[in-house]
């Protein structure tokens, strides 16, 4: 693929809610994310090392003590609450046509509904157009409630030459303002901080010796692989609450049996996660939307398939084990 001419973030994609673009990096993940290459929208100038460690400290402090929901929001969630948006203005005509054809095929197969599938084995759910429209009316209040109690981990990082989710940002800006969702330094942290916390060098501080509840639709061997993965990370006890694999938007869960028995919880509910996270309030523990990290726990080799799932020590070991690569 030919290199694009480097350009700043187009004016159309800047947001009133997040007025600044700052250099973005995560300590321990510099192998593929060198400082100065990636940026993120922010409320103010921040030192990313301090910002990241502050995020982890908050999660650790809440373990076993208070309800602290953490909700990640990226392109799949943007699509769900905002609907499809025009292709990025930086794309070539060929790339825009390719994306249009791909979207047309998906809409045809889903009969106008939504199937937010992502790379690898992880998927977010399948919903009809009518169900999608109903959820779009319900989710703003759910996300607003999460923002008051915990963290919105929004995917607002970008590389200037590689368009990703920026095309959603103008409508996201309007959506946040329309629904009176307050964004501040207590409830906004970057999307990739969540993955980094669970796969980086400080993950043992969060996981080792903890009792964990998993809310997920995995069954059989996949379920057992996730449990084993958490145990490899030092978790001493894993409780499990099953939900629908693809239709968790309609699940009602019972957390009563786990109250007082867990220190934190991990959720894998795709685009239905606001609905699930709010039902976990009585646990009084951090409830973390772990997403693709479930795939890493199930099979450590999956860490190479998603950004910020393999840390610098993983790459160092890879080079040591494969010196010719």
């Amino acid at each position: 693929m030919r290199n694009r001419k480097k350009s700043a973030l187009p004016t159309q994609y800047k947001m009133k809610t997040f007025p600044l673009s700052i250099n973005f990096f995560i300590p321990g993940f510099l192998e593929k994310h060198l400082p100065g290459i990636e940026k993120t929208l922010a409320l103010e100038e921040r030192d990313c090392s301090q910002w990241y460690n502050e995020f982890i400290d908050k999660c650790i402090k809440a373990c076993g003590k208070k309800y602290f929901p953490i909700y990640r929001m990226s392109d799949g969630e943007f699509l769900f609450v905002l609907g499809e948006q025009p292709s990025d203005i930086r794309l070539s005509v060929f790339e825009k046509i390719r994306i249009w054809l791909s979207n047309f095929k998906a809409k045809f197969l889903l009969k106008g509904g939504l199937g937010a599938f992502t790379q690898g084995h992880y998927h977010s759910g399948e919903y009809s157009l009518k169900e999608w429209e109903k959820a779009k009316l319900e989710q703003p209040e759910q996300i607003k409630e999460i923002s008051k109690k915990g963290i919105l981990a929004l995917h607002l990082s970008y590389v200037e030459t590689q368009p990703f989710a920026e095309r959603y940002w103008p409508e996201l800006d309007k959506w946040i303002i329309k629904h009176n969702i307050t964004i501040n330094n207590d409830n906004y942290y970057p999307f990739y901080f969540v993955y980094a916390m669970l796969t980086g060098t400080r993950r043992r501080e969060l996981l080792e010796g903890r009792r964990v509840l998993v809310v997920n639709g995995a069954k059989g061997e996949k379920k057992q692989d996730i449990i084993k993965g958490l145990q490899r990370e030092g978790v001493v006890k894993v409780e499990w609450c099953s939900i629908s694999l693809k239709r968790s938007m309609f699940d009602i869960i019972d957390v009563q049996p786990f109250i007082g028995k867990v220190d934190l919880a991990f959720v894998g509910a795709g685009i239905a996660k606001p609905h699930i996270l709010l039902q976990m309030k009585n646990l009084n523990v951090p409830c973390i939307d772990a997403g693709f990290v479930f795939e890493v726990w199930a099979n450590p080799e999956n860490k190479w398939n998603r950004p910020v799932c393999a840390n610098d020590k993983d790459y160092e070991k890879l080079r040591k084990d494969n010196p010719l690569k």
Side-chain angles (χ1 to χ4, degrees):
M1 181 182 292
R2 64 183 177 85
N3 293 329
R4 303 180 201 282
K5 182 179 179 181
K6 185 174 180 179
S7 61
L9 182 70
T11 302
Q12 297 95 313
Y13 297 150
K14 294 181 179 180
M15 298 176 67
K16 294 179 181 178
T17 310
F18 303 91
L20 298 182
S21 284
I22 66 172
N23 288 329
F24 180 66
F25 65 93
I26 303 175
F29 291 86
L30 303 182
E31 176 84 22
K32 296 294 183 179
H33 303 271
L34 290 172
I37 294 178
E38 194 166 357
K39 296 183 181 297
T40 190
L41 300 188
L43 298 172
E44 60 183 36
E45 286 289 345
R46 297 294 302 264
D47 174 82
C48 274
S49 293
Q50 182 272 333
W51 200 10
Y52 171 61
N53 285 305
E54 173 186 288
F55 168 73
I56 297 179
D57 290 343
K58 282 187 175 183
C59 296
I60 293 172
K61 187 177 180 180
C63 282
K65 296 179 180 178
K66 74 171 185 175
Y67 175 60
F68 193 60
I70 300 176
Y71 167 67
R72 293 174 308 103
M73 197 173 192
S74 187
D75 57 323
E77 291 77 22
F78 295 156
L79 170 63
F80 193 74
V81 300
L82 304 172
E84 189 55 77
Q85 300 299 314
S87 297
D88 194 288
I89 63 173
R90 294 163 291 180
L91 295 177
S92 68
V93 172
F94 172 78
E95 289 167 318
K96 289 179 180 179
I97 292 173
R98 180 181 60 79
I99 291 170
W100 183 87
L101 290 172
S102 177
N103 290 342
F104 178 81
K105 179 181 178 181
K107 288 178 181 178
F108 176 78
L109 293 174
L110 292 163
K111 300 179 181 179
L114 183 74
F117 292 90
T118 54
Q119 182 183 11
H121 311 288
Y122 174 71
H123 52 78
S124 299
E126 294 180 0
Y127 301 96
S128 70
L129 179 60
K130 185 176 180 180
E131 291 166 342
W132 184 6
E133 292 297 333
K134 182 175 182 292
K136 281 169 67 176
L137 295 176
E138 297 172 344
Q139 281 210 354
E141 282 303 313
Q142 294 172 345
I143 294 170
K144 184 176 182 178
E145 184 64 21
I146 291 170
S147 75
K148 295 176 181 177
K149 303 291 185 181
I151 287 173
L152 302 183
L154 307 181
H155 193 158
L156 301 179
S157 59
Y158 65 98
V159 177
E160 293 172 343
T161 56
Q162 298 175 13
F164 179 58
E166 295 93 304
R167 62 197 177 100
Y168 291 102
W169 293 355
E171 287 304 311
L172 177 64
D173 205 19
K174 296 174 186 176
W175 183 84
I176 290 170
I177 295 169
K178 175 183 177 181
H179 296 290
N180 297 309
I181 297 174
T182 299
I183 302 292
N184 54 49
N185 286 325
D186 288 327
N187 68 9
Y188 164 60
Y189 289 85
F191 174 93
Y192 282 123
F193 280 6
V194 181
Y195 282 1
M197 175 177 66
L198 300 179
T199 63
T201 55
R202 292 194 64 188
R203 66 185 187 273
R204 287 274 173 167
E205 295 178 54
L206 181 73
L207 298 173
E208 195 162 32
R210 306 289 189 185
R211 302 166 301 167
V212 167
L213 171 65
V214 172
V215 180
N216 193 288
K219 297 179 180 179
E221 185 177 349
K222 177 69 171 291
K223 173 182 174 179
Q224 294 306 315
D225 286 342
I226 292 171
I227 292 172
K228 290 175 185 176
L230 283 164
Q231 291 171 339
R232 284 195 301 270
E233 297 296 343
V235 169
V236 295
K237 184 178 182 181
V238 180
E239 301 278 7
W240 195 280
C241 178
S242 293
I243 56 174
S244 303
L245 189 60
K246 299 181 182 180
R247 305 275 295 167
S248 52
M249 192 73 71
F250 305 101
D251 287 354
I252 303 299
I253 63 172
D254 179 14
V255 300
Q256 188 66 32
F258 310 110
I259 293 176
K261 297 181 180 179
V262 297
D263 303 301
L264 73 162
F266 294 112
V267 177
I271 46 186
K273 52 201 174 187
H275 167 70
I276 298 297
L277 283 167
L278 290 177
Q279 295 182 61
M280 301 172 70
K281 182 179 179 180
N282 290 339
L283 287 172
N284 289 317
V285 301
C287 299
I288 302 170
D289 165 24
F292 189 79
V293 179
F294 280 111
E295 302 301 326
V296 179
W297 288 329
N299 178 2
E301 287 302 307
N302 284 328
K303 64 175 171 280
W304 309 111
N305 298 331
R306 189 65 62 90
V308 195
C309 285
N311 61 53
D312 291 345
K313 289 187 176 180
D314 292 325
Y315 281 101
E316 183 180 342
K317 184 176 185 301
L318 181 66
R319 285 192 296 269
K320 184 178 180 181
D321 293 343
N322 302 275
L324 298 180
K325 290 188 177 181

